Amino acid sequence: MNDVNRAISPAEVGHLARAVLDAVGSVVVGKRETLELVLSGILAGGHVLLEDLPGLGKTLTARCFAQALGLDFRRLQFTPDLLPADVTGSFLYDQSSGDFSFRAGPVFTNLLLADEINRTPPKTQSALLEAMQEKQVSVEGVTYRLDEPFHVLATANPVEYEGTYPLPEAQLDRFLLRVSFGYPEPDEEWDVLRRRMSRRREEAEIKAVVDAPTLRAMQAALEDVVVEDSVGRYIVALTGATREHPSVLVGASPRGSLALLLLARARAVLAGRDYVVPEDVKEVAVPALAHRVTLRPEMWLRRVDPSFVVAEVLAQTPAPASGALPSYAAGRPGH
């Protein structure tokens, strides 16, 4: 499991990913579809925004994925008085050496839980931007690379707006997808209580299914998942349709198309395939695109949600039914 250079197949990735989901699902009850989306975001190498009400398992989900994936985990509680240096780290004077030394902040980890990210001012929110996009941190003119894999799971409360700072579009765009858990069904909620009683303690421990090098190999294997040309054009058509929708002020950027591509590949692997079908794209369209869409101001008065817009776009954009080989794969071994 520790062989960094070991190449693994998409089929093996699917097997390992399902084992990770089973491990996380032993603690986070009844949210298999949402957990699959979160894991798809991680496999695709991206960051995930968990936007939901308090107490629905967002923090627990992040911790469980860190344990199951064998990753170093840090939790950072965002507050109105949090400073950028509290995220990235800072230089401190070392009396013994008479010089300044860098003390790394919590962003230097594999999986960072940015808890209640919308409670901190934009200056501190932006401290995460460089880390999320460039996988590096600049402090006092010195740049430090972050060890891979590096993923941010951020939580946000969509209800309480008192004392919060909405994420700007530029930072929302950095998240590969946005997901919500929603309330559990009565049987699922009883299952949560039952498992808590049988555990006889608050914290739940999950044994690591993979480790960081294996996760990197799994992410690299997604490059072998084939995307046929008509499916690729379908992705472009969906993203383009969000820009032309009458309710939309600003549609999804090409980064939205890229998110659809990467997430669809991850979904294909979870389904045991090494090729993408249009259904993979449809399943990830709302989580990948809704947070990248800015509605016209009058739409907020009508209670129109960006998710509805993406759902309309999905319904109106014809899906392909082609089985041809992708043009970019021409000349590849086995094609």
Side-chain angles (χ1 to χ4, degrees), residues 114 212 250 252 294:
V250 180
T294 305

Side-chain angles (χ1 to χ4, degrees), residues 241-313:
T242 65
R243 302 165 197 162
E244 297 164 6
H245 194 281
S247 302
V248 172
L249 184 65
V250 180
S253 70
R255 192 180 277 151
S257 298
L258 190 58
L260 278 180
L261 170 70
L262 298 174
L263 288 167
R265 277 177 156 178
R267 295 294 292 183
V269 163
L270 285 174
R273 285 182 272 101
D274 62 355
Y275 58 91
V276 172
V277 296
E279 282 65 30
D280 296 324
V281 180
K282 292 176 183 178
E283 286 176 2
V284 299
V286 173
L289 296 181
H291 65 292
R292 303 174 198 273
V293 171
T294 305
L295 298 180
R296 295 184 181 278
E298 61 268 24
M299 291 301 117
W300 292 105
L301 298 175
R302 298 181 192 171
R303 304 276 182 177
V304 175
D305 188 270
S307 300
F308 298 148
V309 171
V310 177
E312 281 188 6
V313 163

Side-chain angles (χ1 to χ4, degrees), residues 169-185:
E169 282 77 6
Q171 187 154 357
L172 275 176
D173 213 26
R174 296 299 195 280
F175 288 100
L176 197 64
L177 73 164
R178 180 180 65 182
V179 297
S180 299
F181 285 89
Y183 287 115
E185 296 294 325

Side-chain angles (χ1 to χ4, degrees), residues 56-79:
L56 295 182
K58 301 185 294 293
T59 304
L60 179 65
T61 296
R63 185 179 291 112
C64 289
F65 269 116
Q67 292 175 354
L69 294 169
L71 301 179
D72 183 42
F73 174 73
R74 304 256 181 109
R75 176 181 179 272
L76 182 59
Q77 181 68 47
F78 280 73
T79 56

